[in-house]
Amino acid sequence: MTAEFEPVIGLEIHVELATRRKMFCGCPNTYGKEPNTVVCPVCMGHPGTLPVPNEEAVARAVQLGLALGAEIHPFSLFFRKNYFYPDLPKGYQITQYSASILTGGSLQGVRIERANLEEETAKSYHTETGDVLLDYNRAGIPLLEIVTHPDIRSPEQARAFLEELRLLLIYLGISECDMEKGQLRVDANISVRPVGSGSFGTKVEIKNLNSFRSVEHALRYEWERQAALISSGGTVEQETRLWDEFQKETRPMRSKEEAEDYRYFMEPDLPPLQLSRTWLEEQRAHLPELPEQRRKRYREVYHLSDKVLEALIADPAYGRYFEQLAEGLSRPELAGNWVAVHVLRVLKAEHLSMEDFPLSPDQLRPLLRMIEEERISHSAAQEVFEEMLRTGRDAASIVEERGLEQVSSDASLLPVVRAVLDAHPEIVEKYRRGKTGVLGVLIGAVMKETRGRANPQKVRELLMRELETS
Amino acid sequence: MDVRRFPVPHIAHLARLDLSEEEIQRFEKQFASILSAFSALRELDLTGVEPLWTPVPHTLRLAKDQPDRPYDRNQMLEDAPDVFQFYLRLPSPLRSVRKKQ
């Protein structure tokens, strides 16, 4: 069914900005504090209070705009979006409505329609008796609403876009984007149309998407539902549906008892937001290296494989660690592999962030240098690595204590190689008759004799040389 | 907008105001008179006049990202109509809508 219909998808993303204070008052921007301990008369909507916008929140929005190639409007406005709900203590939300700070720009080919600065609502909990309990700690945290054009054509593309946007926001330091803490939230619009058609179908909005995976699943479900509906002669209704994570389906939200009517008007307490050219240039100067720039640099400078590259890009801290580790190594790709494979395995297993990883790049580097110099084998290196993590001791002393140093010198290996050849005349005979595959047996014998410490590459060379010459 | 038909009941409902039939009629008349005063402005020739976004001459002042100390919780909850375990407790907004209808 879905083969005949293509989905047309647009996303609306809300991001909490990681500022130190709230959007319009001096309360700290926090998470997880005791209820109603981070509040003041402004964010609780007391009469007579006045909002003062946070410069840093404006700066973050502008930085995102620069990263997306958006048009940054040096003149934008704040509006009141009025609705009656207790999580809005003032009875309205301050937002930018039709005079956004950012318009245009794109990411992964998906065009951005606009981004608006606004404020978070309070957190509400519904009790069994039908009451609402309110915690205003969250009310007034700066929020950026990012809206895309309906340019996305598959659930996978939607997910990939969101992952790249999240990465960008993290690299910019705009938000920590922890979805479990609600710092990044996504609503999706989807309609379907016959493949090749230029027109748009009726769109459905999906809410309650708690992870990028649920975005992908919900969009797939909705694509199939709408395609089946149209194929069987039905019509799609314009509505808002909720994603049910357990049943893996979307369900119509109880229809609104009235059409949305927010009676927007200009916020009389806030004159227009005007940004000077100098200030905007300062924001440009603060831009860090962005994920796509880092990918390009890592490819060019370090020649990393795509898989290793993506693992290192996933968190700016991984890249910082990798770059420090790679410094002074003649094979930086070795550092890439070690961070991507071994270090990240430990971080994931122990639920650690890079900052909490017990070994500094300076501690780990000598181990990699020993691999580079072929003084230890890869398997021995892993053993040393585990021991370093356990004890914090340095690589060299572990290698020495355990006798893990790889034997590579002719002087040490040649007597063993000759002894093995003497001990296995029948295998030597087979080899000479052309069954070169038996070389592996001989290598294994040498490795066994040296208790795994011989450099296998060197052993192979020596064996072949002896077999050719003797 | 047709000023003679200002949707008072709709606006009152959005603001959760419970108006009597008599009040609705009174407000409709008042709104009609207020809005017709504005219609006089429509007759002005505004060609070439920039939109006035604000009558205030100063520009928006922004605050440095420096948090203040939050207020004392007990003080902030003092005026709340109902408090349960340091949360403000309110009747469900959905319930109050339904009750009205």
Side-chain angles (χ1 to χ4, degrees):
Chain A
M1 211 89 75
T2 52
E4 297 156 41
F5 292 92
E6 72 166 358
V8 174
I9 299 166
L11 300 171
E12 191 178 306
I13 301 114
H14 284 93
V15 187
E16 282 185 3
L17 304 179
T19 54
R20 298 179 60 211
R21 63 182 260 160
K22 289 185 180 180
M23 183 67 204
F24 294 114
C25 67
C27 284
N29 178 351
T30 59
Y31 175 84
K33 293 272 189 271
E34 283 282 298
N36 293 311
T37 50
V38 194
V39 293
C40 74
V42 177
C43 57
M44 286 193 84
H46 286 201
T49 58
L50 288 171
V52 184
N54 181 344
E55 180 179 348
E56 189 58 29
V58 179
R60 302 284 166 108
V62 167
Q63 285 160 11
L64 179 67
L66 291 167
L68 292 170
E71 191 179 340
I72 295 152
H73 297 282
F75 181 97
S76 61
L77 302 168
F78 288 104
F79 285 79
R80 289 187 180 181
K81 177 182 181 178
N82 300 279
Y83 62 98
F84 197 80
Y85 208 80
D87 62 5
L88 275 172
K90 300 188 293 292
Y92 56 86
Q93 181 191 32
I94 303 179
T95 176
Q96 294 200 294
Y97 188 40
S98 58
S100 310
I101 185 160
L102 306 176
T103 55
S106 68
L107 185 67
Q108 291 189 337
V110 176
R111 289 169 305 146
I112 308 297
E113 189 182 313
R114 61 178 154 82
N116 280 348
L117 275 168
E118 49 188 45
E119 54 179 338
E120 266 283 21
T121 57
K123 198 141 178 46
S124 54
Y125 302 90
H126 294 260
T127 68
E128 285 172 9
T129 52
D131 290 335
V132 191
L133 299 180
L134 288 143
D135 173 9
Y136 287 95
N137 288 350
R138 202 182 69 174
I141 286 177
L143 207 56
L144 193 64
E145 178 200 57
I146 305 160
V147 180
T148 77
H149 281 283
D151 285 353
I152 299 169
R153 292 292 174 271
S154 75
E156 295 76 22
Q157 193 195 351
R159 182 174 179 168
F161 169 84
L162 288 168
E163 276 165 3
E164 190 65 13
L165 179 66
R166 178 175 175 274
L167 209 53
L168 189 61
L169 291 163
I170 289 175
Y171 270 66
L172 288 164
I174 286 178
S175 173
E176 286 155 28
C177 295
D178 187 335
M179 289 187 82
E180 281 176 25
K181 294 182 183 171
Q183 291 168 344
L184 191 153
R185 305 192 289 272
V186 183
D187 298 331
N189 286 308
I190 171 171
S191 62
V192 301
R193 63 183 179 193
V195 171
S197 157
S199 62
F200 291 107
T202 307
K203 73 177 177 188
V204 163
E205 187 181 8
I206 315 173
K207 286 185 178 283
N208 198 35
L209 301 167
N210 295 320
S211 66
F212 292 163
R213 196 207 312 237
S214 40
V215 172
E216 188 182 336
H217 288 172
L219 285 170
R220 179 155 297 281
Y221 176 89
E222 198 50 33
W223 176 12
E224 286 166 5
R225 187 188 71 86
Q226 294 182 19
L229 196 62
I230 296 170
S231 300
S232 62
T235 47
V236 176
E237 230 178 292
Q238 179 158 359
E239 61 181 347
T240 300
R241 297 174 73 91
L242 289 183
W243 172 244
D244 184 328
E245 188 62 46
F246 297 104
Q247 302 296 321
K248 303 275 177 234
E249 61 181 25
T250 64
R251 275 203 297 269
M253 231 169 108
R254 187 166 32 163
S255 68
K256 290 195 176 146
E257 298 179 36
E258 61 215 40
E260 285 178 4
D261 185 349
Y262 295 125
R263 293 157 293 145
Y264 286 98
F265 62 89
M266 263 186 65
E267 167 58 276
D269 290 339
L270 292 169
L273 174 61
Q274 297 185 62
L275 307 171
S276 72
R277 189 181 292 271
T278 338
W279 189 87
L280 287 171
E281 280 312 311
E282 272 171 39
Q283 303 318 311
R284 191 183 295 277
H286 285 153
L287 275 193
E289 184 181 43
L290 302 175
E292 197 45 39
Q293 295 166 330
R294 184 169 280 189
R295 281 192 190 99
K296 191 162 177 281
R297 181 165 65 87
Y298 280 9
R299 258 189 222 109
E300 283 168 4
V301 178
Y302 299 115
H303 311 291
L304 301 176
S305 73
D306 281 354
K307 210 175 153 194
V308 169
L309 187 80
E310 281 312 309
L312 296 181
I313 291 288
D315 186 324
Y318 299 165
R320 279 196 296 274
Y321 189 95
F322 155 69
E323 287 181 45
Q324 285 175 35
L325 183 62
E327 216 164 284
L329 290 178
S330 52
R331 286 167 53 203
E333 69 275 15
L334 184 67
N337 284 329
W338 265 76
V339 176
V341 178
H342 302 290
V343 176
L344 291 191
R345 175 176 51 78
V346 175
L347 295 185
K348 296 222 161 91
E350 310 283 330
H351 300 287
L352 295 175
S353 68
M354 194 75 247
E355 288 74 16
D356 301 325
F357 186 65
L359 301 175
S360 71
D362 286 344
Q363 283 172 291
L364 187 55
R365 194 180 307 105
L367 178 66
L368 301 201
R369 199 165 276 142
M370 279 192 264
I371 304 174
E372 237 175 32
E373 292 165 355
E374 299 191 348
R375 284 170 58 200
I376 53 171
S377 67
H378 281 275
S379 61
Q382 279 179 48
E383 185 184 330
V384 176
F385 179 64
E386 299 298 333
E387 187 64 11
M388 288 169 77
L389 284 171
R390 218 174 7 249
T391 61
R393 289 170 56 201
D394 64 294
S397 68
I398 298 168
V399 168
E400 196 185 324
E401 182 192 272
R402 300 201 171 187
L404 291 168
E405 182 133 9
Q406 191 156 258
V407 182
S408 301
S409 70
D410 284 15
S412 314
L413 288 179
L414 210 48
V416 189
V417 164
R418 284 182 178 151
V420 163
L421 291 176
D422 287 347
H424 299 90
E426 71 296 346
I427 299 180
V428 172
E429 196 48 40
K430 277 186 188 170
Y431 182 87
R432 294 213 163 109
R433 284 205 308 269
K435 290 195 76 177
T436 50
V438 297
L439 193 62
V441 180
L442 295 171
I443 295 172
V446 176
M447 294 307 287
K448 197 177 167 195
E449 281 299 309
T450 57
R451 299 201 319 276
R453 291 167 53 210
N455 176 347
Q457 191 51 41
K458 191 71 195 174
V459 171
R460 171 184 288 268
E461 276 170 37
L462 286 176
L463 278 168
M464 286 174 71
R465 200 173 79 196
E466 286 298 299
L467 286 164
E468 302 302 322
T469 53
S470 64
Chain B
M1 192 197 299
D2 182 352
V3 295
R4 288 157 302 177
R5 289 180 155 268
F6 188 77
V8 170
H10 175 62
I11 298 295
H13 175 60
L14 290 175
R16 302 297 183 271
L17 294 174
D18 201 0
L19 302 182
S20 66
E21 195 49 44
E22 186 198 336
E23 284 172 312
I24 289 173
Q25 282 178 16
R26 189 166 79 231
F27 287 135
E28 266 170 352
K29 252 183 236 147
Q30 291 179 346
F31 274 113
S33 126
I34 292 165
L35 292 170
S36 66
F38 281 95
S39 61
L41 292 175
R42 290 185 190 281
E43 287 159 28
L44 297 173
D45 178 13
L46 299 177
T47 337
V49 178
E50 284 290 307
L52 177 71
W53 295 106
T54 169
V56 193
H58 62 253
T59 53
L60 182 54
R61 188 174 65 88
L62 300 176
K64 292 283 167 208
D65 192 23
Q66 203 61 252
D68 300 332
R69 217 203 306 226
Y71 277 57
D72 173 67
R73 172 160 70 181
N74 292 328
Q75 191 192 339
M76 287 310 299
L77 294 177
E78 223 164 49
D79 296 329
D82 189 12
V83 172
F84 176 74
Q85 291 179 353
F86 300 110
Y87 290 95
L88 271 85
R89 180 155 61 186
L90 291 154
S92 164
L94 297 171
R95 200 175 52 182
S96 62
V97 168
R98 257 177 266 130
K99 217 164 59 183
K100 266 194 74 72
Q101 288 174 340

